[in-house]
Amino acid sequence: HSMTIHSLTGEFAHAANETEFLTLQLERTRAMLGFTLVFCIVFFQFFFLTDIAALGLDAAIVHTLPARLTVALTAGIGAWLAYRRPLSIRATRIVACTSEIIALFCFMAVALARPLEAHWHAMSMVIILVVIYLYIPNRLAYASAIAFGSTVGFIALVQTLLPPRPVSDLLTMGMLLVMVNTFGLLSARRYNRVAREEFRLQMQLKEFAERDHMTGCYNRRYLHDHLLGTELARARRFGHPVTVVLCDIDHFKRINDTFGHHEGDAVI
């Protein structure tokens, strides 16, 4: 298949191409996932100081500390898995989705415990959405579903469970969150597309370097760099013989001289 990039997601349209890309990027994906989760743990726990300032130490320990520790535990396990275990593509997405969903539920719990600070919670929500779209590696469909779902949930929380807000506040908050989701989605799509275009170009350059442009057959460089070394090692390991077959076309120059090089290329 040609490496067609999907216009909406920025991912490869063919599953085989997408899997090849993700497999080659897997080590980098695990590193990015682990780093982002550790970073989020540090800052989410650091904001416990604001809980103490807003609620007092005793109330903060009761009402917000369990949620913050749950995030630390979940993201910490995810980061440990990302750094210490050879996670598959599917496993990295499970870790990403699980960490995001639990963190968002715990964020809502903190917002409920501090009901008079809806505007600050909205700013925090904006930051969380940016992290979901751009910094936690995940499939765009999953990231956008979690981001949009949490946005709807947060707006419903502000409107129904927290103290009543002026209509202007709710409208501004809603527009801000919609804008962040929109730009986050577009930015993630652009990031996906740029990464895959670079990968596609690398694969094309690799193919040009290893294959004859006219026949599509592997060239001498590929023979020396890959086949001979691999096959000779396999033959030594298993005690099998190795056969190299060379083919030639007798009197091919006559075809070029008689019919022209264009027809000679067609014969080849």
Side-chain angles (χ1 to χ4, degrees):
H1 297 296
S2 61
M3 290 190 173
T4 305
I5 298 176
H6 198 284
S7 59
L8 294 179
T9 64
E11 300 168 353
F12 285 119
H14 298 294
N17 294 334
E18 182 67 12
T19 300
E20 181 183 8
F21 169 77
L22 293 174
T23 301
L24 291 176
Q25 296 289 319
L26 191 54
E27 184 176 351
R28 183 184 301 178
T29 299
R30 290 196 295 259
M32 183 176 180
L33 177 62
F35 175 81
T36 304
L37 291 178
V38 171
F39 191 84
C40 291
I41 290 170
V42 172
F43 274 85
F44 198 72
Q45 303 312 305
F46 182 76
F47 272 90
F48 181 65
L49 296 176
T50 66
D51 298 339
I52 297 174
L55 303 174
L57 179 59
D58 293 340
I61 291 175
V62 173
H63 297 295
T64 65
L65 185 59
R68 293 191 182 277
L69 292 179
T70 299
V71 172
L73 178 62
T74 305
I77 293 173
W80 181 82
L81 290 172
Y83 280 125
R84 298 297 184 181
R85 290 292 180 267
L87 297 180
S88 64
I89 297 169
R90 183 171 180 267
T92 59
R93 288 173 170 172
I94 291 174
V95 169
C97 291
T98 302
S99 301
E100 289 169 355
I101 292 171
I102 291 179
L104 285 163
F105 272 110
C106 292
F107 167 74
M108 303 290 181
V110 172
L112 280 173
R114 298 169 59 176
L116 301 179
E117 304 171 65
H119 55 294
W120 291 116
H121 300 322
M123 292 183 64
S124 299
M125 187 69 189
V126 166
I127 296 172
I128 292 173
L129 292 175
V130 171
V131 172
I132 289 174
Y133 278 114
L134 299 180
Y135 292 99
I136 297 181
N138 202 353
R139 189 176 183 183
L140 184 56
Y142 302 156
S144 58
I146 292 172
F148 275 99
S150 62
T151 299
V152 173
F154 178 75
I155 293 174
L157 179 74
V158 171
Q159 190 171 8
T160 59
L161 298 179
L162 298 184
R165 308 292 303 176
V167 175
S168 59
D169 280 7
L170 291 174
L171 183 60
T172 302
M173 191 181 299
M175 292 295 293
L176 176 65
L177 292 173
V178 169
M179 183 180 71
V180 171
N181 273 285
T182 302
F183 280 99
L185 183 62
L186 293 175
S187 298
R189 172 186 171 275
R190 177 178 174 81
Y191 175 82
N192 285 346
R193 188 173 188 89
V194 169
R196 284 156 180 79
E197 285 177 346
E198 180 181 355
F199 174 77
R200 181 169 61 182
L201 179 60
Q202 290 174 348
M203 292 298 102
Q204 289 175 347
L205 292 175
K206 181 181 178 181
E207 184 172 353
F208 291 155
E210 294 179 345
R211 290 181 181 271
D212 176 72
H213 72 281
M214 186 167 56
T215 63
C217 296
Y218 286 116
N219 57 24
R220 180 178 176 181
R221 174 181 296 177
Y222 184 86
L223 175 70
H224 282 283
D225 293 346
H226 299 280
L227 291 183
L228 283 182
T230 301
E231 293 305 321
L232 287 174
R234 193 198 313 274
R236 293 191 187 101
R237 186 165 63 250
F238 296 105
H240 295 164
V242 176
T243 302
V244 177
V245 179
L246 299 178
C247 299
D248 188 24
I249 303 176
D250 292 337
H251 311 298
F252 184 72
K253 185 176 182 301
R254 294 180 184 175
I255 297 176
N256 284 332
D257 293 342
T258 304
F259 302 101
H261 287 275
H262 180 74
E263 294 299 326
D265 292 346
V267 170
I268 292 177

